[in-house]
Amino acid sequence: MVKAVKGNAIVPTYVLEYLLGQYCATNDEDSIQSGIETVREILRKHYVPRNEAGLIRSMIKEKGWHKVIDKISVDLNEKTDAYEATFSNLGIKKVLVDSTTVKAHPKLLVGGVWCIADVEYDFNEDKTTTPWILATLKPIQLSHFDFDSYIEARRQFTTDEWIDLLIQSIGFNPELFGKRSKLLQLLRLVPFCERNYNIIELGPKGTGKSHIYSEFSPHGILVSGGEVTVAKLFVNNSTGKIGLVGYWDVVAFDEFAGKKKRADKALVDIMKNYMANKSFSRGIETLGAEASMAFVGNTQHTVPYMLKHADLFDDLPEQYHDSAFLDRVHFYLPGWEVDIIRGEMFSNGYGFVVDYLAEILRSLRNHDFSDWYQEHFTLSSDISTRDRDGIHKTFSGLMKILFPEGEATKDEIQAILHFAIEGRKRVKDQLMRIDSTYVDVRFSYEDGEGKTFSVKTLEEEEYPRYYHRTIGDGSEENELKSPVKTDISAKESVEPVEEQPQAGHVAYQENQRGISYQTLFGPYLKGA
């Protein structure tokens, strides 16, 4: 339905679904078609494309008023002691807004909110006043929902059915994804339901890394990596006004990678403190906030290339390629495992209205599931406090998304715990390449019967030869030329011993690459 109405309107998905929810909430095909036509008509009449802003301003002047769909932000004008709205696409400023509207919707003050608004025009001779009047303003967001009925409904689904429903809600066809790929997609939702969660995703272009943060929820904001300042993100010292982290649940940094990009050193230092302690100090006071941070960017090279020549954080700007900053990241989402988005991957089935799901995830921020695995499993004592925090936060977030009612089996809990540990291990293993002061950690956990489970990342399984090399140890070129080291002098000659292929069983993980029929069966076919 969203695809049917989106066309070339540059509005987020939750705006379209809000309108569809009002006009297409039925199973009747004819009613749905007429509802879609109504929504298209509303967008055609009331959405303001930037290139037609002049025409719509003229229409409001001639007609006296008009209803518009636009992104509206509000500022306090201290000189006149009044709130003034700016319409992003319509291009009008200093439109008076009453205090009650601002109190009811404080996000208008930071970054702006998509709204349906009635704008009136009343010209007078007074040069100090604006002719534009804001008659009504209604943010396009869900007004209420029943959390208990959501929990009750979850109990009627199996785990696989529930995962498929969530994947369809994001907009993808679950039949085209394996279990691990589905979990990677759902992991992008964790910042919305977990406070102060820091996630990084680096991978090839075109895998939909920033889509969730820009289209999915009215509680998240996507900022370009180079555009943000300390004042915009944290607090403006001259006005005392708190920045984005005070108002949004998720602040995502787009185009975060790029070695040549310059980053403000002061910003990096404040971010380090905020990501570790949930607080930042400017001037004389220390302020706290609960926004999660998501960093998304494109990689320039393949995984084996990065592992061979540098590390998996290689594409980050120099100021962010810093072990103290990266140590505060709770999960590294391997973007190279996510498929490049193609037309057939989109879903045609039913899913949640994204606005509804966004409100559910927001309410789940008040819950904590981080210790639910402890009934069955114990983390290795090697794992440091910071590693433990990262594992706990990822585990808690995935539990909230998949089992909000808390009824998971031991095997399901183990799968989520294993996945959470892998994401934090990916961060730690790269830190050990960047900074030699980090000690080696055994990422493992035990069950109640004393059985130990060791965790490896998928890259470790695929490229063991490159994965455990410390860059710059002076021996890497020799290693690549002759991976087998021997003590045999050149004078001695040794008859090569050809090993006979053995019967056996080989297990591979989903998304594992570097496997061929040649390596699997080649030894068994010699002489055939």
Side-chain angles (χ1 to χ4, degrees), residues 221-335:
I221 188 166
L222 185 70
V223 293
S224 175
E227 281 180 8
V228 73
T229 60
V230 174
K232 185 179 174 185
L233 191 59
F234 291 106
V235 69
N236 187 326
N237 267 358
S238 57
T239 63
K241 189 171 149 187
I242 197 162
L244 299 173
V245 293
Y247 291 88
W248 297 91
D249 289 352
V250 182
V251 179
F253 296 83
D254 198 10
E255 305 299 340
F256 190 64
K259 280 188 171 180
K260 292 182 180 166
K261 285 187 179 174
R262 307 300 302 159
D264 180 2
K265 186 78 174 69
L267 176 66
V268 179
D269 288 341
I270 292 179
M271 278 176 81
K272 280 185 205 171
N273 190 36
Y274 173 74
M275 287 163 71
N277 307 321
K278 310 167 191 167
S279 62
F280 50 94
S281 52
R282 296 279 283 160
I284 53 169
E285 62 176 334
T286 300
L287 302 164
E290 55 180 56
S292 294
M293 296 269 188
F295 306 96
V296 294
N298 296 327
T299 49
Q300 302 299 314
H301 301 290
T302 62
V303 174
Y305 182 96
M306 289 189 283
L307 290 173
K308 179 176 165 184
H309 296 287
D311 56 77
L312 296 178
F313 289 116
D314 185 42
D315 287 301
L316 295 186
E318 192 182 331
Q319 284 87 342
Y320 290 108
H321 195 269
D322 166 18
S323 58
F325 172 79
L326 297 172
D327 196 15
R328 289 152 167 79
V329 173
H330 297 128
F331 195 98
Y332 186 144
L333 201 157

